Amino acid sequence: MNKENLGLNTICTHIGEVPDEQFKGAVSPMYLSSSYEFLDVDVKRYPRYFNTPNQEHLSKKIAALEHAEDAMIFGSGMAAISTMFLAFLQHGDHLVVQNTLYGGTVNFIKEEFPKYGIEYTFTDGYSANDFEKALKSNTKLIHIETPSNPLMTITDIAAIAKLAKSKSILTSIDNTFASPVNQNPIDLGIDMVMHSATKYMGGHSDICAGAVASSSEHIEKIWNVGKNLGGSLSDMTVWLLERSMKTMGLRVKAQTANAMEMAQWLEAHSKISKVYYPGIESHPEYQLAKSQMKGFGAMLSFELTDDLDSYQFQKHLKLIKSSMSLAGVESTVISPHLTSHALLTPEERENVGISDQLIRFSVGIEEVKDLKTDIDQAIDCISKL
Ligand code: PLP
């Protein structure tokens, strides 16, 4: 069978299984050994070398899903992104990075880069022109995130890749929000794709992991730094992640369909003043999202009308949990002004479009009618307070 042409759910289910040669079991055996034979072997295996049997095989699934030659799995999304950055940036180099970015990545850049003498510029906006304006003669890498957190802005992936290639600059993307189910940036010319696998790849809010997919040449460079930094993932969690990823296509497609229905419903709701979701036509980059995404994802944000208290709204939800993180099969909400953007002043938040009324919604696999009922009952309760 030609493994090149397998479809999404077949890749999720079968690629990267560790064959059980001994007992012919249907699922991958878990190899927990942290010590392997080194005499007369082709590969010297060790967990921190990212090459135990479970690590090596799961990497193949991630590479196949991202249409990449190779991939690596890490102990967290931050281990993945920090190792990737440090593999391609050194003293005197410059990184151009999108201004709307996951807060942990922003902190990493601001707190660690000065120690290494790496320069960086956050763009003013997210158009290709904003990225071009930020380039310098020593720029080595452009890093983007689309859809972005929490306002779901969409960056033109192909335009950024083209701009970077014309100047021999590498590109990387945080593809966590879309997941490989909804977006494959390597097909659009991006060099390296990273994920917080804690999110859609894990999908059950019980795994912390990360991944990078790219060409074999780039992965070798990342591996060389990764073995020094030591951010590998334990084999028990690798095994759990493999199991989770078997259903990723099914889960994320169901979540994406639910998100579209919820976005349309919320947009028509009298107590919701604004919805941010790239799949609705009122989104400023709807056409761009349609052209570069296979589905619009399962993350959206909305604003409650001014008469409603966003804290009380979350307190009164019965089914949807107010919860950090995202992308589990269960729906969750979060207030960006109380969490990811709490350290900004109200004026700074207003400048980036994050109001106290904004709720970020990670849509799960529940029945949509139940999610609607939950939101309606919470709004009813707090309207009477
Ligand atoms: N990228 C995005 C978009 C995220 O949302 C997160 C975590 O929330 C990360 C990266 C970091 O991932 P982790 O928490 O697995 O280190």
Side-chain angles (χ1 to χ4, degrees), residues 76-78 102 145 174 176-177 196 198-199 208-209 326:
S76 69
M78 285 313 301
Y102 168 60
E145 191 174 308
D174 187 329
T176 302
F177 267 34
S196 167
T198 315
K199 309 300 180 316
C208 183
L326 58 113

Side-chain angles (χ1 to χ4, degrees), residues 63-81:
L65 284 165
E66 280 296 9
H67 306 170
E69 278 174 3
D70 207 350
M72 277 172 70
I73 301 152
F74 292 85
S76 69
M78 285 313 301
I81 200 159

Side-chain angles (χ1 to χ4, degrees), residues 314-335:
Q314 290 169 92
K315 278 291 217 195
H316 283 80
L317 288 168
K318 293 195 167 126
L319 194 66
I320 303 170
K321 296 185 170 93
S322 57
S323 174
M324 301 280 279
S325 202
L326 58 113
V329 287
E330 64 288 332
S331 291
T332 57
V333 288
I334 203 169
S335 259

Side-chain angles (χ1 to χ4, degrees), residues 94-101 106 109-110 120-135 139 141-145 148 153 155 160 163 352:
H94 176 248
L95 167 76
V96 169
V97 61
Q98 189 167 320
N99 60 346
T100 45
L101 207 64
V106 174
I109 293 169
K110 287 188 173 167
Y120 58 87
T121 304
F122 285 93
T123 57
D124 288 335
Y126 51 92
S127 73
N129 196 27
D130 292 314
F131 283 86
E132 187 156 15
K133 273 194 327 217
L135 295 179
T139 305
L141 181 66
I142 298 178
H143 180 73
I144 63 172
E145 191 174 308
S148 75
T153 62
T155 305
I160 301 298
L163 165 70
V352 286

Side-chain angles (χ1 to χ4, degrees), residues 125-343:
Y126 51 92
S127 73
N129 196 27
D130 292 314
F131 283 86
E132 187 156 15
K133 273 194 327 217
L135 295 179
K136 291 186 179 182
S137 57
N138 55 341
T139 305
K140 292 281 164 11
L141 181 66
I142 298 178
H143 180 73
I144 63 172
E145 191 174 308
T146 177
S148 75
N149 180 17
L151 297 176
M152 311 302 147
T153 62
I154 302 293
T155 305
D156 189 334
I157 301 173
I160 301 298
K162 192 170 162 209
L163 165 70
K165 279 202 169 61
S166 73
K167 308 208 180 270
S168 303
I169 295 169
L170 289 175
T171 45
S172 59
I173 184 171
D174 187 329
N175 203 29
T176 302
F177 267 34
S179 91
V181 177
N182 285 319
Q183 187 165 275
N184 289 123
I186 286 179
D187 294 348
L188 300 166
I190 291 288
D191 295 305
M192 292 170 285
V193 180
M194 64 75 48
H195 285 272
S196 167
T198 315
K199 309 300 180 316
Y200 288 107
M201 291 186 175
H204 296 75
S205 310
D206 55 8
I207 283 174
C208 183
V212 181
S214 187
S215 65
S216 305
E217 191 189 335
H218 292 328
I219 290 294
E220 196 183 330
K221 289 207 170 98
I222 298 169
W223 183 83
N224 273 316
V225 174
K227 72 176 191 318
N228 294 337
L229 295 180
S232 58
L233 185 64
S234 91
D235 280 301
M236 211 173 292
T237 315
V238 171
W239 188 90
L240 277 176
L241 184 57
E242 189 211 334
R243 188 181 65 169
S244 295
M245 288 184 68
K246 289 186 187 210
T247 56
M248 184 174 69
L250 295 176
R251 283 188 276 107
V252 175
K253 281 186 181 179
Q255 288 173 267
T256 299
N258 278 2
M260 177 62 105
E261 203 176 326
M262 288 307 296
Q264 286 164 343
W265 179 78
L266 288 164
E267 200 174 33
H269 200 293
S270 62
K271 288 294 181 183
I272 306 297
S273 54
K274 186 145 179 62
V275 176
Y276 302 85
Y277 183 63
I280 49 178
E281 288 185 30
S282 57
H283 188 285
E285 291 101 33
Y286 166 70
Q287 288 300 342
L288 174 60
K290 206 169 150 187
S291 70
Q292 68 184 21
M293 299 181 81
K294 290 179 279 179
F296 298 103
M299 295 299 302
L300 62 94
S301 291
F302 60 88
E303 273 166 25
L304 296 164
T305 51
D306 286 340
D307 53 316
L308 299 178
D309 182 319
S310 63
Y311 175 84
Q312 289 299 337
F313 169 71
Q314 290 169 92
K315 278 291 217 195
H316 283 80
L317 288 168
K318 293 195 167 126
L319 194 66
I320 303 170
K321 296 185 170 93
S322 57
S323 174
M324 301 280 279
S325 202
L326 58 113
V329 287
E330 64 288 332
S331 291
T332 57
V333 288
I334 203 169
S335 259
H337 83 284
L338 296 176
T339 55
S340 53
H341 295 73
L343 295 179

